[in-house]
């Protein structure tokens, strides 16, 4: 198999999982990934427009066969309402990062320039540090993190990817239909 | 009327038609046991170990298709159920396990006898519940039974804290017990659902085009109650049927179209047939590694139709050409309408030729072998008894030699391979089938894992016959050490075992010992006459016997020759560098056949 095909097969997939908002449901999903040997690259969980439904956005690594198994195994969990795979769909993916970076007086202007170029924001400032908030794709976050690392990053936190299909298609609508 | 959680539990079990609870009391289930004290329509079976309770519920379920119910207290009681629950999970057996839990206010505080049993059983249950309010109990139980028995069946655990079973609420079972369950996120295929017609048409087309088809039938056909449909399909198309360990009985194994079990210890002819087939019709089977061996070399020339109720089984191991998701019985019913009758072909003749060349045969030299025991036991009850087994060599011999006439007659731990399963499972089946004799085939290793349940059989007057094929060793491990670990027999010697005859007598049952086939005939007759207590028959068989269907009848192959030959076979297997595959097995087979032929020629000269 050529490298390009390998690369294509070993890609990352973003899936959205709508689940009943019950205690323990995150453990069920996480446990499924662990025991079946699937890799979670990123995981974000939140409420939705409906309080009884939670939404998980999971980035998984693996080929299409692994992705198919993950989807099917997730669907077997009694509390999983719906699994949506965004590999084949046009979708918006976003991640947020908070970066605490050293800001010595001589560097401040430069850092602020980077912040501006990346449309990030400085949301906290001390005599030695900035906290920078930045939103965007994983790639964008990686880039700004790379640039800022030269000044010394003291702390970094990222939310993990959340995703939504472009256009009028909705995952939660489908979940709602299933629930009704 | 105000009822306690414990009383509500029993009301709900009544609604579900539960007749037997296998359980063991303890601190966190005291309110439940207090309610059981007044309950006379549901029979509570007091076991001697919670694992026994889980296996009994399992045996009850396997022999009837109903949901088995077991009950244990919190902490160690609950963890003792774990092996039994995992056993049921691996084999898709409907079961509801009810556990006590420490009071809700103590949960998470490392209270006495606290264990996070919902956390522990998450990967070995289809679903589980921790009921935190008595108001939620009835719903949780209704959902538990619904989930356990629908779709691909499986065990469900309901964890009930002490205060939840104590608290009183206004409860009217008719009004408050949900008769129709609708879980938005759980919609399994069922017998009455729509069947995928297009896929079934494609399957019929493949069957029409196939020259060398084989039906490969698993536990899904048993769960779905599709014996009649499997039989009809086989007869209409003259396609030979091999079953998995759990699919036994899906076609009467004395039927001319039955070629027995396939896989690691399956019949040589079934394995040859599957391996050279051009169409494999998998019916409620999951391409387990014990069936396929090396997947890359498994039935490489075959197109695959895969029928399964669980979509996640499709493509898990083998990518089928025609996947069909749904209830086996419903799908086969449709498929039967579409397939054209086929006459028996050269392919059928070819398989029969393999059957003649590699028959299931064992020596007839006056010695007692496990195979005798199985055939005699089966014949004793006109092949209508329920056979439970433990795990090991005896299980494989039983799979080869016990001819199932129907489904639910064969009770064995397939997926998990749980030693100690046999006796309690047989007891569970005996409770469910008072009109049938239940036998348990065990080994000297397995039997010692659940011996205490003999007491349960004695107390309830169950005439379960446990036949131990005693080779004074852990035979299956010994066999593997012989073949793959240069005969370095590590920790498999069981010369030091209790006297099984005296042991069963101590438990209030009857014990017999048999050393020869004739002795066995004699004690089997005596055992049959005992109808009010358990019987253990200790059958002494040779230690060195391996599970291989290779030695022709009436030919006593010189032991040295077999051993030498085995060496060569082992060498060839090792050279292959694989754990197990058809090619490895074929190598072993051909070496045996050569050796036997040589011995015959020598004799003739």
């Amino acid at each position: 198999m050529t490298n390009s095909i390998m690369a294509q097969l070993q890609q990352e997939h973003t899936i959205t999982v709508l689940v009943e908002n019950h205690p323990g449901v995150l453990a069920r999903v996480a446990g499924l990934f662990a025991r079946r040997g699937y890799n979670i690259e990123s995981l974000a969980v939140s409420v939705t427009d409906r309080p009884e439904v939670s939404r998980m956005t999971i980035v998984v690594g693996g080929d299409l066969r692994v992705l198919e198994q993950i989807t099917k195994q997730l669907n077997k969990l009694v509390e999983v309402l719906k699994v949506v795979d965004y590999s084949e769909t046009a979708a918006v993916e976003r991640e947020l990062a908070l970066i605490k970076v050293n800001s010595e007086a001589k560097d401040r202007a430069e850092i602020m320039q980077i912040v501006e170029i990346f449309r990030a924001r400085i949301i906290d400032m001390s005599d030695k540090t900035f906290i920078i908030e930045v939103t965007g794709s994983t790639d964008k976050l990686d880039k700004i993190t790379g640039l800022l690392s030269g000044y010394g990053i003291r702390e970094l936190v990222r939310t993990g990817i959340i995703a939504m299909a472009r256009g009028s298609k909705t995952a939660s609508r489908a979940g709602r239909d299933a629930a009704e | 009327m105000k009822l306690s959680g414990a009383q509500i539990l029993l009301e709900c079990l009544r609604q579900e038609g539960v007749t037997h609870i296998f359980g063991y009391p303890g601190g966190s289930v005291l309110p439940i046991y207090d309610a059981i004290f007044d309950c006379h329509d549901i029979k509570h079976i007091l076991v001697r170990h919670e694992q026994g309770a889980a296996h009994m519920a399992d045996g009850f379920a396997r022999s009837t298709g109903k949901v088995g119910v077991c009950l244990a207290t919190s902490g160690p009681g609950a963890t003792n159920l774990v092996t039994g629950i995992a056993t049921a999970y691996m084999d898709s057996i409907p079961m509801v396990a009810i556990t006590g839990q420490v009071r809700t206010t103590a949960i998470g505080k490392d209270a006495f006898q606290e264990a996070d049993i919902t956390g522990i059983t998450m990967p070995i249950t289809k679903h589980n519940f921790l009921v935190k309010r008595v108001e939620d109990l009835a719903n949780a139980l209704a959902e538990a039974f619904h989930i356990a028995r629908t779709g691909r069946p499986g065990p469900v655990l309901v964890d009930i804290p002490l205060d939840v079973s104590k608290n009183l609420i206004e409860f009217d079972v008719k009004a408050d017990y949900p008769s129709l369950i609708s879980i938005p996120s759980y919609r399994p295929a069922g017998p009455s659902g729509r069947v995928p017609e297009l896929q079934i048409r494609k399957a019929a087309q493949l069957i029409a085009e196939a020259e060398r088809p084989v039906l490969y039938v698993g536990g899904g056909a048993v769960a779905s109650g599709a014996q009649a449909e499997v039989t009809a399909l086989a007869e209409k198309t003259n396609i030979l049927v091999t079953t998995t360990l759990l699919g036994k009985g899906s076609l009467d194994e004395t039927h001319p179209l039955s070629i027995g079990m396939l896989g690691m210890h399956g019949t040589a002819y079934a394995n040859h047939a599957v391996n050279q087939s051009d169409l494999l019709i998998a019916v409620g089977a999951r391409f387990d590694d014990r069936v396929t061996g090396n997947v890359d070399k498994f039935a490489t020339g075959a197109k695959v139709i895969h029928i399964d109720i669980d979509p996640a089984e499709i493509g898990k191991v083998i990518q089928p050409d025609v996947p069909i998701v749904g209830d086996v019985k419903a799908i086969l019913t449709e498929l039967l309408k579409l397939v054209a009758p086929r006459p028996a072909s050269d392919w059928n003749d070819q398989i029969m030729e393999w059957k003649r060349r590699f028959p299931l045969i064992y020596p007839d030299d006056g010695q007692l072998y496990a195979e005798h025991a199985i055939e005699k036991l089966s014949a004793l009850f006109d092949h209508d008894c329920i056979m439970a087994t433990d795990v090991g060599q005896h299980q494989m011999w039983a799979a080869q030699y016990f001819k199932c006439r129907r489904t639910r007659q064969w009770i064995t731990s397939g997926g998990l391979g749980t030693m100690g399963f046999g006796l309690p499972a047989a007891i569970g089946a005996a409770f469910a089938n008072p009109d049938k004799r239940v036998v348990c085939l065990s080994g000297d290793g397995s039997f010692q894992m659940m011996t205490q349940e003999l007491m349960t059989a004695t107390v309830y007057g169950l005439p379960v016959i446990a036949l131990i094929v005693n080779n004074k060793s852990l035979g299956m491990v010994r066999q593997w050490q012989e073949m793959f670990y240069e005969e370095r027999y590590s920790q498999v010697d069981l010369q030091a075992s209790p006297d099984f005859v005296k042991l069963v007598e101590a438990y209030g049952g009857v014990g017999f010992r048999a050393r020869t086939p004739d002795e066995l005939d004699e004690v089997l007759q005596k055992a049959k006459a005992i109808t009010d207590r358990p019987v253990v028959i200790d059958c002494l068989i040779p230690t060195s016997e391996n599970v291989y269907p290779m030695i022709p009848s009436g030919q006593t192959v010189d032991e040295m020759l077999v051993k030498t030959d085995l060496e060569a076979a082992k060498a060839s297997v090792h050279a292959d560098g694989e754990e197990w595959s058809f090619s490895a097995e074929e190598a072993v087979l051909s070496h045996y056949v050569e050796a036997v032929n040589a011995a015959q020629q020598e004799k003739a000269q």
Side-chain angles (χ1 to χ4, degrees), chain B residues 212 271-279 299 301-302 347 350 354 586:
Chain B
R212 301 184 305 279
N271 284 335
H272 281 301
V274 167
N275 214 26
Q276 297 192 26
S277 65
D278 67 351
L279 177 66
W347 172 238
Q350 169 67 64
W354 282 323
E586 268 173 38

Side-chain angles (χ1 to χ4, degrees), chain B residues 101-124:
Chain B
Q101 181 55 275
V102 299
R103 60 184 68 246
T104 46
T105 48
I107 290 176
K109 308 255 164 56
D110 301 317
F112 177 66
Q113 293 197 327
E114 180 183 0
D116 171 17
I117 198 62
T118 44
I120 290 168
T121 58
M122 215 173 258
I124 54 163

Side-chain angles (χ1 to χ4, degrees), chain B residues 124 193 203 211 218 377 526:
Chain B
I124 54 163
E211 285 176 9
L377 197 56
K526 289 184 190 161

Side-chain angles (χ1 to χ4, degrees), chain A residues 28 65 69 72 76 78 80 178, chain B residues 128 185 310-312 314-315 317:
Chain A
R28 284 183 207 280
R65 232 179 126 170
Q69 263 298 305
K72 285 175 169 175
K76 271 173 79 169
V78 169
V80 168
Chain B
N128 59 26
S185 50
D310 179 0
I314 307 291
V317 178

Side-chain angles (χ1 to χ4, degrees), chain A residues 16-20 25 28-29 32 56 71 73-83, chain B residues 184-186:
Chain A
T16 282
V17 188
L18 294 172
V19 297
E20 304 256 17
V25 67
R28 284 183 207 280
V29 171
L32 173 71
M56 298 182 182
T71 308
Q73 294 292 349
L74 280 170
N75 272 317
K76 271 173 79 169
L77 293 180
V78 169
E79 286 159 336
V80 168
L81 286 158
K82 191 172 171 65
V83 183
Chain B
S185 50
Y186 176 72

